[in-house]
Amino acid sequence: MEKKAFVTRELIENIAQIYPTPFHIYDERGIRENARALKEAFSWNKGYREYFAVKAAPNPFLMEILKECGCGSDCSSYTELMLSGAVGMKGEEIMFSSNDTPAEEFVLAEKLGATINLDDITHIDFLEKTLGYLPETLSCRFNPGGYFAMGTDIMDNPGDAKYGFTREQMFEGFRILKAKGVKHFGIHAFLASNTVTNEYYPTLARQLFELAVELHRDTGVHVAFVNLSGGIGIPYRPDQEPNDIRVIGEGVRQAYEEILAPAGMGDVAVYTELGRFMTGPYGHLVTKVIHQKHTHKEYVGVDACAVNLMRPAMYGAYHHITVLGKEGQACDHKYDVVGSLCENNDKFAIDRMLPEVEIGDYIAIHDTGAHGFSMGYNYNGKLRSAELLLREDGSVEMIRRAETPRDYFATFDGFEVYNRLFPKES
């Protein structure tokens, strides 16, 4: 698959006159088209809803776009709940899936009317003591343990994950919740991350649908929804074929008709909690080449660094790179593309074949629309960049300003450093 940037050098040169690099920029058209395709793929299920994983891109402008497309929000923290409330999400539009959860987060989730997804059987008692009661609808996160495999391919290792109820705890937990007055139940699971295969969701769905039937028969509870969570990935590498969401949706439908419908459970809603799939391909980190270094290797130094995109440094993750304006040139030069952190892993690419790069070139780093800006930090005193939105009409809007030194020092309450650096105007 050829990976093309959704911005041109000419556009970026014009943008950079107003908003200096580095910055993250998002493609509104791509996000909307993708959200529509997802909704169509699961339109066969009357209760279907996508809960966008806020952790992937916690920006209210992006969340409002997805809300307009019919998406809810999947939250995992107090501030994500606050943000969801601020963009008008409420009630069943919010899914709260957390772990090791502080009491105040459960309180806010209940205040917003969110559907709470419990991560552990001990959280039943904790939630009841926190709220003084249990909501009528609750979900439980399932972890089957062992390895999650499709055929002979091992996809991930749920048994090593800190999340979820065991199979035995699911049955015990549902009985306890039913006895305490809970009326509607959900089942949730996340068993593999960033899968680039159309078989993941259908395989997971079969496991969860079968579990739903067993839980219904054994405990008599009403299973209101099955939440397939996330895990549908994106093709970071050019040689990967993207997932076909319509094929995935059809695979889940077949499992639904074969397992749930014959059990008299044709009213079960199917939910998803996608983040990376929803926004990942529709974001670029745009950065400018400011140095070149010729030592034991050829280095391209850019004005972004790992604080703007930490996935390559943290995971060794591949992100495709386009040298804007040189898309048609041969990739016959080998470079390490690096930032300025005092860490040797601050590299966006290692031994990457690119066209000849010159100081002043603009580089688009692909697939940063999820877990890009959101994983940013301030190590070395670096400041997080702006976020921009390329609107459908071609205009560009700043949806988060870049941090300034004032932001960096603002939390030093009770210490004079802030006032010394930024004396109040008389």
Side-chain angles (χ1 to χ4, degrees):
M1 181 189 72
E2 183 181 2
K3 294 183 78 73
K4 294 183 179 180
F6 58 78
V7 293
T8 63
R9 181 181 176 103
E10 181 182 13
L11 175 63
I12 293 303
E13 285 177 335
N14 291 333
I15 292 173
Q17 294 180 33
I18 304 171
Y19 307 111
T21 55
F23 51 75
H24 286 270
I25 186 166
Y26 307 97
D27 177 19
E28 180 183 14
R29 184 184 303 278
I31 292 172
R32 288 187 182 276
E33 289 177 352
N34 190 49
R36 283 194 290 268
L38 173 68
K39 189 174 182 179
E40 290 170 6
F42 286 89
S43 60
W44 53 265
N45 183 257
K46 184 178 179 180
Y48 172 73
R49 176 175 280 145
E50 154 65 7
Y51 291 88
F52 172 64
V54 178
K55 66 178 75 68
N59 188 296
F61 289 84
L62 302 180
M63 292 170 65
E64 284 185 335
I65 289 171
L66 291 167
K67 186 176 188 295
E68 290 171 7
C69 295
C71 301
S73 64
D74 162 44
C75 301
S76 60
S77 70
Y78 195 92
T79 49
E80 289 181 359
L81 286 166
M82 291 177 66
L83 185 56
S84 296
V87 299
M89 301 284 188
K90 58 184 178 181
E92 294 181 354
E93 293 177 315
I94 304 174
M95 184 71 62
F96 183 56
S97 297
S98 178
N99 71 95
D100 193 22
T101 309
E104 59 268 22
E105 297 190 2
F106 279 136
V107 171
L108 180 56
E110 176 63 6
K111 181 180 179 180
L112 292 170
T115 300
I116 294 173
N117 182 37
L118 297 175
D119 182 68
D120 185 71
I121 194 169
T122 64
H123 292 180
I124 296 173
D125 183 57
F126 184 83
L127 180 63
E128 186 174 33
K129 288 180 178 178
T130 297
L131 300 179
Y133 60 92
L134 289 175
E136 287 193 353
T137 299
L138 280 172
S139 177
C140 295
R141 181 168 183 167
F142 173 54
N143 184 334
Y147 291 94
F148 178 76
M150 292 190 296
T152 59
D153 295 329
I154 294 175
M155 305 300 293
D156 219 320
N157 182 11
D160 197 39
K162 65 176 181 175
Y163 310 106
F165 290 56
T166 67
R167 179 181 174 84
E168 293 75 18
Q169 288 172 342
M170 289 290 288
F171 285 84
E172 180 184 357
F174 272 39
R175 292 190 191 98
I176 293 171
L177 291 169
K178 181 184 178 185
K180 289 179 177 290
V182 175
K183 293 182 170 57
H184 309 291
F185 292 74
I187 301 170
H188 173 288
F190 180 90
L191 302 187
S193 179
N194 193 37
T195 62
V196 188
T197 168
N198 294 332
E199 298 304 315
Y200 170 62
Y201 253 15
T203 301
L204 173 64
R206 287 184 179 277
Q207 289 193 19
L208 297 187
F209 293 164
E210 289 171 356
L211 177 63
V213 171
E214 292 181 51
L215 284 164
H216 171 66
R217 289 175 177 169
D218 188 85
T219 66
V221 303
H222 172 235
V223 178
F225 65 85
V226 171
N227 189 336
L228 302 176
S229 188
I232 297 180
I234 61 176
Y236 285 99
R237 294 179 178 272
D239 59 354
Q240 292 178 302
E241 286 296 320
N243 288 310
D244 187 329
I245 197 61
R246 291 176 175 81
V247 172
I248 291 170
E250 175 59 18
V252 175
R253 186 197 67 78
Q254 290 178 10
Y256 191 101
E257 294 299 328
E258 292 172 15
I259 299 169
L260 289 178
M265 299 174 67
D267 64 335
V268 174
V270 174
Y271 295 159
T272 56
E273 292 176 348
L274 299 169
R276 191 191 318 260
F277 178 81
M278 300 302 294
T279 58
Y282 312 108
H284 294 330
L285 172 59
V286 177
T287 180
K288 189 175 185 178
V289 177
I290 57 174
H291 290 290
Q292 285 185 305
K293 186 173 182 176
H294 316 287
T295 55
H296 304 291
K297 302 183 76 173
E298 292 294 309
Y299 293 97
V300 170
V302 297
D303 60 4
C305 62
V307 304
N308 306 110
L309 176 65
M310 71 182 300
R311 294 187 74 255
M314 186 174 185
Y315 305 121
Y318 179 96
H319 280 262
H320 198 64
I321 289 175
T322 295
V323 183
L324 296 174
K326 297 184 177 181
E327 291 86 345
Q329 296 184 19
C331 294
D332 53 5
H333 286 64
K334 184 187 292 186
Y335 299 106
D336 281 14
V337 181
V338 304
S340 60
L341 285 188
C342 297
E343 295 289 342
N344 197 43
N345 66 352
D346 182 20
K347 299 178 178 179
F348 295 113
I350 298 173
D351 294 333
R352 185 71 59 86
M353 299 303 296
L354 296 171
E356 184 176 6
V357 176
E358 300 168 277
I359 292 175
D361 279 343
Y362 289 101
I363 285 176
I365 303 176
H366 290 242
D367 301 315
T368 68
H371 313 294
F373 181 94
S374 66
M375 295 178 74
Y377 54 105
N378 289 119
Y379 182 56
N380 274 189
K382 296 293 185 178
L383 304 174
R384 280 171 283 209
S385 63
E387 291 182 290
L388 310 178
L389 182 62
L390 177 61
R391 290 290 190 181
E392 289 186 290
D393 63 5
S395 63
V396 175
E397 180 179 357
M398 182 174 68
I399 59 174
R400 190 194 306 260
R401 68 167 173 82
E403 287 183 335
T404 69
R406 284 182 179 270
D407 297 315
Y408 181 80
F409 291 108
T411 54
F412 288 114
D413 290 348
F415 192 72
E416 287 300 313
V417 64
Y418 184 82
N419 290 334
R420 291 171 191 168
L421 290 169
F422 308 104
K424 293 180 181 179
E425 296 180 5
S426 57

